[in-house]
Amino acid sequence: MSARGMAFAPLVVLGLTLGLALPPVHADVLFSETFDSGIDGWTTSDANKGESKYDGKWDVVVEPSTEEFPAENRVLVVSEASKHYCLSRDVSPPLKFGETDVHIQYTVQFTKTMSCGGSYLKLLSASPDLDLATVHDASPYAILFGPDMCGASQYLRFIFRYKNPVTGKYSEVHARRIQEPHKVFRDKKTHLLTLVLTAATNQFAIFLDEVEVLAGDLGAADRFEPALLPPAVIDDPNDFKPEDWVDAEFMDDPEETKPEAWVDDATIVDPEAAQPQDWDADMDGDWEAPEIKNPDFKGPWAATQIKNPAYQGVWEPKQVDNPEWFNETAPMAQLDPVSAVTFELWTTTSGITFDDIIITTDAEEARTAADHWRARRAYEDANDGVSPYAMFKKMTSTLWRKIVAMVSLVMDPVVFEKEAQPWIDAGIENPMVGGAVALVFLSPFFLLVYALCCRGGDDGYHDEDEPEGVNDDSGVSDNEEDDEGQSKDDEEENDGSKNDKATKKKRN
């Protein structure tokens, strides 16, 4: 049993129906990943993306358990901002579409406000040449599914690649834009993404947090842009508009002319302006009267429009049969088989988490795999959208920033920038690093406080068998020593003080 399954077993025994037990892996489950074993079995890419490398660091973080969310959970985390990432794993045996329904599902959470980047999952096309260590952005895929945004452009993407049976060329068929995904990037909660492909009807359905947001026929024109099927007829590429073709529907009235008295000058020289008496042409140049609005201005003149007797209408090329047209009634069966999944991403924002990936042919398996998300989401809803990971990270990052501020006060600025900055960045981005280093840094402080405040003011040693207040060297009680010390102090006082005391004693 996995670590998560062992953690949930007591809850099941006690009858706590939180829905946290993970489903067993059945033959209907083609791929399943909860990251309980980290990223064992996954491969990072050594390929280049243009001039960049896939050098983003992946982390698997253990969320701390809480009373409301008792099970420790591991999530895959994009730990660095402004990086390219590529992490892939085999799907074995390969997934073949068209034989049965397919459910593709995983969770994603943006622990920081997203600015630009993708968080989608690609199902890579099976190929003898596929090498997970060289996967890149142009590696062929069958399906791309998941969130993608940059600025105001926010998408929950579903794209499938289809091979035209006539030309043999692949095209990307994009589902129309969904208006829901903005909350995915902003509310910092964990979201469940589900894509269902139904083999019998060749339909698809996209669910966000178990709510259907888009569905219809796979590749239909009202759900995809461009549509899967090309048009049956197209413009004749060899047909051109004649040079003498008249497509102006209206024309100026040829019998109408501009009236001679028509005033179309918007401004005129101010007739009342006069050259100043002290104007010096040699010094100031030639004097020019200022312009003012023309009170007689009528605006631009235009002839009346009349119907053009030579008008031939809007020209359109002839329509011919599309040589690339084909008819497809079962597009799902034509999708490439899938032999691997990959997160091939670019993001300017860190802190994106992934979990509970499943590809299955059984709807019940997909629903059961979402039990963990339901419990996690209930916890987040009860805590204003803060997951255990985000809460822990916020706590440790805040503590770490305070430590950094303290250290910066006593370190040379140059040394601080060179030596401390890498640890600072690591502590802020990774709560485990920040928490561990913070604990090490604060340990001497706690020991000092304990030594000064919690051990008393004596030599720090007491014989447990000795009565309290007895000094083991002389047998004299501590109280007696205090009295002797007080007597010596009294002897050192001035005579005036002694006389005052004596006077007071007599009066008493």
Side-chain angles (χ1 to χ4, degrees):
M1 181 180 292
S2 66
R4 182 184 295 169
M6 295 176 65
F8 294 153
L11 299 180
V12 177
V13 173
L14 293 174
L16 299 178
T17 56
L18 292 176
L20 297 177
L22 288 177
V25 178
H26 297 156
D28 295 331
V29 178
L30 305 175
F31 183 90
S32 179
E33 180 62 83
T34 59
F35 300 104
D36 285 343
S37 301
I39 54 175
D40 292 347
W42 291 78
T43 302
T44 56
S45 177
D46 296 326
N48 292 342
K49 182 178 181 180
E51 298 181 356
S52 303
K53 292 186 68 69
Y54 292 103
D55 55 355
K57 181 183 177 184
W58 296 94
D59 281 338
V60 174
V61 176
V62 180
E63 293 184 335
S65 60
T66 66
E67 182 178 353
E68 298 86 351
F69 195 76
E72 287 189 348
N73 177 58
R74 289 173 169 82
V75 293
L76 179 67
V77 183
V78 171
S79 64
E80 298 177 299
S82 300
K83 293 284 187 177
H84 294 276
Y85 292 82
C86 190
L87 187 67
S88 309
R89 184 172 180 178
D90 289 321
V91 175
S92 182
L95 164 63
K96 295 182 179 180
F97 293 100
E99 298 176 353
T100 184
D101 298 349
V102 176
H103 300 254
I104 303 166
Q105 183 172 277
Y106 70 101
T107 66
V108 64
Q109 180 193 23
F110 300 95
T111 61
K112 300 179 181 180
T113 300
M114 190 67 171
S115 59
C116 187
S119 52
Y120 40 75
L121 182 69
K122 288 182 180 180
L123 279 60
L124 298 178
S125 301
S127 168
D129 300 328
L130 180 61
D131 179 3
L132 299 188
T134 60
V135 172
H136 52 91
D137 58 321
S139 296
Y141 67 88
I143 286 177
L144 182 154
F145 174 59
D148 186 21
M149 77 158 291
C150 198
S153 300
Q154 303 175 5
Y155 299 90
L156 178 52
R157 294 194 184 277
F158 167 39
I159 306 172
F160 67 89
R161 292 176 69 251
Y162 186 87
K163 184 178 181 180
N164 186 311
V166 177
T167 65
K169 297 180 181 179
Y170 279 88
S171 62
E172 292 183 348
V173 187
H174 294 239
R176 289 184 177 270
R177 186 170 180 175
I178 299 170
Q179 300 301 320
E180 300 294 328
H182 61 276
K183 66 180 182 181
V184 174
F185 303 104
R186 303 297 180 190
D187 63 11
K188 300 183 180 179
K189 296 182 179 181
T190 305
H191 293 279
L192 182 71
L193 311 172
T194 309
L195 170 64
V196 180
L197 302 176
T198 306
T201 60
N202 276 277
Q203 292 186 319
F204 79 100
I206 298 174
F207 296 85
L208 175 58
D209 298 336
E210 299 186 315
V211 176
E212 184 180 286
V213 293
L214 187 67
D217 294 331
L218 192 62
D222 62 343
R223 291 292 182 268
F224 291 83
E225 189 175 4
L228 170 63
L229 299 182
V233 294
I234 60 173
D235 295 344
D236 185 351
N238 298 317
D239 190 16
F240 300 96
K241 177 182 176 180
E243 293 183 0
D244 59 352
W245 185 272
V246 179
D247 51 10
E249 185 176 1
F250 294 92
M251 59 176 288
D252 294 344
D253 184 349
E255 298 181 359
E256 188 175 8
T257 58
K258 176 182 176 180
E260 293 183 1
W262 188 273
V263 178
D264 52 11
D265 294 325
T267 61
I268 60 173
V269 175
D270 186 354
E272 298 180 0
Q275 178 176 313
Q277 293 181 354
D278 59 351
W279 187 272
D280 188 338
D282 294 334
M283 297 291 295
D284 303 324
D286 294 336
W287 180 84
E288 295 181 358
E291 297 274 326
I292 63 171
K293 289 184 178 181
N294 188 348
D296 298 324
F297 176 61
K298 296 183 179 181
W301 182 84
T304 304
Q305 295 291 292
I306 61 173
K307 284 279 189 179
N308 187 350
Y311 175 63
Q312 295 177 270
V314 178
W315 181 87
E316 294 180 352
K318 297 177 182 179
Q319 298 295 289
V320 296
D321 292 337
N322 185 356
E324 298 183 359
W325 179 83
F326 63 92
N327 188 28
E328 181 61 77
T329 58
M332 182 176 170
Q334 306 306 319
L335 299 181
D336 286 347
V338 171
S339 62
V341 297
T342 186
F343 288 110
E344 187 276 315
L345 310 171
W346 154 258
T347 177
T348 61
T349 308
S350 62
I352 306 173
T353 74
F354 302 97
D355 200 7
D356 297 324
I357 309 171
I358 187 170
I359 302 174
T360 178
T361 59
D362 189 341
E364 185 61 25
E365 290 286 353
R367 195 194 69 79
T368 303
D371 287 348
H372 175 254
W373 167 81
R374 295 186 191 94
R376 181 177 180 179
R377 182 58 181 270
Y379 172 87
E380 293 172 355
D381 290 341
N383 290 274
D384 297 326
V386 180
S387 70
Y389 169 74
M391 185 178 296
F392 180 59
K393 183 170 184 178
K394 180 179 180 181
M395 178 184 68
T396 55
S397 295
T398 301
L399 177 61
W400 183 238
R401 290 178 191 276
K402 291 182 178 179
I403 292 174
V404 169
M406 294 168 57
V407 173
S408 65
L409 295 176
V410 298
M411 287 186 67
D412 179 84
V414 176
V415 176
F416 179 80
E417 178 71 21
K418 180 179 179 181
E419 303 294 340
Q421 195 63 48
W423 289 98
I424 294 169
D425 296 338
I428 292 174
E429 287 297 328
N430 192 321
M432 294 302 179
V433 174
V437 178
L439 181 62
V440 172
F441 181 84
L442 292 177
S443 294
F445 174 75
F446 290 143
L447 292 174
L448 179 62
V449 172
Y450 176 73
L452 295 177
C453 303
C454 305
R455 298 293 299 273
D458 56 14
D459 60 0
Y461 174 80
H462 286 288
D463 191 338
E464 295 181 357
D465 296 332
E466 194 169 276
E468 183 179 357
V470 177
N471 186 296
D472 57 356
D473 292 333
S474 63
V476 181
S477 69
D478 294 337
N479 293 333
E480 291 176 354
E481 290 183 352
D482 291 340
D483 292 340
E484 292 178 3
Q486 183 64 43
S487 299
K488 293 178 179 179
D489 293 337
D490 291 342
E491 292 176 359
E492 295 175 0
E493 293 181 352
N494 58 44
D495 295 339
S497 298
K498 291 181 179 179
N499 293 336
D500 291 340
K501 289 182 179 180
T503 304
K504 292 178 181 178
K505 192 171 182 180
K506 290 179 180 181
R507 290 177 180 176
N508 290 338

